[in-house]
Amino acid sequence: LDEVQQTIEALDVQASDQVLIDLADVAFMDSSGLSSLIMALKHVRSHNADLAVCSPTAQVKMLLELTSMDQLFPIFSDRAAFTQSTTI
């Protein structure tokens, strides 16, 4: 978790950026993972930028929906879907 937090804080986010977190390699997520996503969202929004996630597994997508995290940021099926979207 410390490594994730350091990575998030090191992001050079500029206003109007669109930050994408690719969850393709995340097989399981718990409250620590949710906490990391919230930290990322706060960091990105503090710079007037947007955050989205893509490629969640079925388990991760279900967790994001059950915790209403899907209401906080868009979830895309993959990177191509994110790229094709006009706005997040």
Side-chain angles (χ1 to χ4, degrees):
L1 186 60
D2 289 336
E3 183 180 337
V4 173
Q5 185 173 0
Q6 289 172 355
T7 301
I8 291 166
E9 291 172 359
L11 287 176
D12 182 24
V13 180
Q14 304 296 319
S16 301
D17 279 353
Q18 295 183 340
V19 177
L20 179 67
I21 297 177
D22 190 336
L23 300 174
D25 293 330
V26 178
F28 174 81
M29 184 180 290
D30 60 11
S31 60
S32 295
L34 292 174
S35 176
S36 294
L37 285 177
I38 291 169
M39 282 189 308
L41 181 64
K42 287 181 179 181
H43 178 73
V44 169
R45 285 193 176 165
S46 73
H47 291 85
N48 296 316
D50 294 312
L51 176 103
V53 299
C54 73
S55 306
T57 62
Q59 185 273 337
V60 172
K61 186 174 182 184
M62 184 178 5
L63 178 65
L64 294 173
E65 291 170 351
L66 288 172
T67 58
S68 299
M69 296 277 290
D70 62 331
Q71 303 300 311
L72 297 177
F73 44 75
I75 301 172
F76 294 93
S77 58
D78 54 33
R79 286 180 184 232
F82 171 78
T83 303
Q84 292 171 358
S85 75
T86 56
T87 181
I88 62 170

